[in-house]
Amino acid sequence: MLKKLAQFIFYGNYFYGFCTVSLAVEASMQQNLPLNSWYFYLLLYFGTVLFYTYAYVKERDTRFTNNRNRWYKRNRKLVKNLQWVLMIICIFLASTLLIVNFRHLVSLTPIQILPLIITGLTALSYYGFPVIGAKNINVRKTGWFKPFAVGLVWAVAVTYVPVLWNQVERNTPYTFSAINFWLFTKNFMYISTLAILFDIKDYAADHNRRIKTFVVRVGLRKTIFSIIIPLTLLGFISLILFANLKGFPLLRIVINSIPFVLLIIVAWSMQRRKPIIYYLAVIDGLMLVKALCGITASLLAQ
C-alpha cells in the first residue's frame, strides 16, 4: 500500500507540486512579503502536476523504459482521467483569480509581463514549440540547454510570479531590488544544477538518442566533479558574500547553507547507479529541503 502511494506521489508528479508551492512560499518570506491567497498556491500546485504529467501521457517511444514509464503504462486510463480533472481545477482556479483581481491587473506594466511571456514560451518549448520555417523547438532535445531552461521556468514560477501576483492581489506597486535579483539567480542556479544531476538517470537513453546532455558529453565523473560540485560551491560562496553584504545573522546563513552541503553529498553518491525513485525522492527532494531551510531561516533569524 505504501509502495503504491509513493509511486503515485512521485511518478504522478504530485511531489513536484509540493516543491513548487514550498519554494514560492520561501521566496515570498525571504522578500518580506505576505503570502498570496490559497487559490494562487492551489493553482501553482495543480498546474505543476498537470504540466509535468503531460510529457508521460503523450510519450510514445517505448524503446527506453524504466519503472516510471511502466507505471504510466499500467495506469494510463487513470492518469488521463486525472489530467482532465486537474485541467478543470486549474481553469476554475485561474478564472476565479482573474475575476476577483481583474481591476488590479492594470497595475502590471509591459516590462513586468515580458518575463512571463518569455518563460511561458520556454515552458511550451519543453514539449516542442512550432516555429515558422522549422519543425519545432524542443528544449528537451537540446541536451546542454535543457537544465537551464528548466531552471529558468522554475525560478520565474517560484520567485518572480508570487511577487508579481502579490502586487495584483493587494493592488500595491512593488519595487524590485537587489535581493529579488539575487534570490531569482540563486533559485535559477540551484534548480539548473539539480536538472543536470537529474540527467544522470537518463544517460543510457540520451546516449542512444544522441541527446548531448552534460553527462553524455563529458561523462559521469566529470559531470559531478567538474560541473555539479563547482557550481554548488560557487552558489555557496555567493550566498556567503551576499549574506555578509546584507548583514544576515549567522544562524540564517548556516540554515541556508544546508541545501548546498546536501547537494554536494547527493552528487557524490551519484557515482553509482540508483533506482529512479531515488532520483525523484532525493534529488527533487533537495528543492523541498531548500524551501524548508529558507522558510525556517526567515522565521528564526530575521
Side-chain angles (χ1 to χ4, degrees):
M1 182 64 183
L2 289 177
K3 182 180 178 180
K4 289 184 178 180
L5 179 61
Q7 290 176 337
F8 180 79
I9 292 173
F10 289 104
Y11 293 164
N13 300 305
Y14 290 90
F15 184 67
Y16 276 138
F18 289 117
C19 295
T20 310
V21 173
S22 299
L23 287 168
V25 170
E26 177 207 18
S28 293
M29 294 182 69
Q30 288 184 328
Q31 295 170 96
N32 297 315
L33 287 171
L35 298 182
N36 295 324
S37 66
W38 280 100
Y39 285 102
F40 172 82
Y41 294 110
L42 286 173
L43 178 59
L44 198 59
Y45 178 87
F46 290 116
T48 300
V49 179
L50 181 69
F51 177 81
Y52 269 95
T53 304
Y54 178 74
Y56 296 94
V57 171
K58 66 173 290 189
E59 181 64 53
R60 292 292 181 268
D61 192 345
T62 58
R63 292 175 298 168
F64 312 102
T65 61
N66 53 44
N67 287 339
R68 180 163 59 174
N69 297 119
R70 286 188 279 271
W71 183 85
Y72 272 95
K73 186 176 181 180
R74 291 195 306 270
N75 299 279
R76 182 171 294 277
K77 184 176 180 180
L78 172 64
V79 172
K80 283 188 174 182
N81 289 336
L82 286 175
Q83 282 292 90
W84 283 108
V85 173
L86 291 173
M87 185 178 295
I88 292 170
I89 291 173
C90 288
I91 291 172
F92 169 75
L93 292 170
S95 300
T96 302
L97 286 169
L98 290 174
I99 291 170
V100 171
N101 300 283
F102 183 76
R103 290 180 300 171
H104 301 159
L105 289 173
V106 293
S107 67
L108 299 179
T109 66
I111 296 298
Q112 290 176 324
I113 295 173
L114 182 61
L116 301 181
I117 296 174
I118 294 172
T119 306
L121 293 175
T122 304
L124 289 174
S125 68
Y126 190 75
Y127 295 125
F129 186 76
V131 178
I132 297 175
K135 291 183 178 180
N136 58 55
I137 297 176
N138 191 320
V139 300
R140 297 176 75 197
K141 296 180 180 180
T142 58
W144 67 270
F145 180 69
K146 184 184 76 171
F148 300 108
V150 172
L152 173 66
V153 173
W154 273 80
V156 170
V158 303
T159 315
Y160 183 70
V161 172
V163 174
L164 211 58
W165 193 253
N166 189 275
Q167 173 181 308
V168 172
E169 286 193 341
R170 299 183 180 277
N171 196 27
T172 304
Y174 183 81
T175 302
F176 289 86
S177 62
I179 194 168
N180 303 115
F181 180 75
W182 181 77
L183 288 171
F184 172 85
T185 304
K186 185 177 73 165
N187 278 329
F188 169 69
M189 291 306 300
Y190 190 83
I191 296 172
S192 295
T193 303
L194 290 180
I196 296 172
L197 197 59
F198 201 83
D199 280 339
I200 292 174
K201 76 173 179 61
D202 294 324
Y203 169 76
D206 289 337
H207 183 271
N208 290 328
R209 290 168 174 159
R210 297 182 180 179
I211 299 175
K212 299 299 182 179
T213 60
F214 283 102
V215 67
V216 172
R217 285 173 180 268
V218 303
L220 176 59
R221 287 186 60 83
K222 282 190 176 181
T223 299
I224 293 172
F225 293 102
S226 300
I227 298 175
I228 300 295
I229 293 179
L231 283 176
T232 306
L233 291 174
L234 183 63
F236 177 69
I237 293 169
S238 68
L239 166 66
I240 300 300
L241 293 175
F242 188 83
N244 279 284
L245 182 65
K246 290 295 182 179
F248 289 172
L250 179 61
L251 179 60
R252 185 170 183 176
I253 298 173
V254 171
I255 294 174
N256 279 306
S257 300
I258 293 173
F260 293 98
V261 175
L262 292 178
L263 178 51
I264 291 175
I265 293 173
V266 171
W268 188 281
S269 74
M270 296 293 289
Q271 295 179 75
R272 292 187 177 182
R273 195 170 187 83
K274 309 290 184 182
I276 189 170
I277 198 73
Y278 178 90
Y279 299 101
L280 295 170
V282 176
I283 297 179
D284 291 338
L286 288 173
M287 290 191 288
L288 186 59
V289 169
K290 177 188 175 299
L292 294 177
C293 287
I295 292 170
T296 302
S298 297
L299 292 173
L300 296 182
Q302 295 295 331

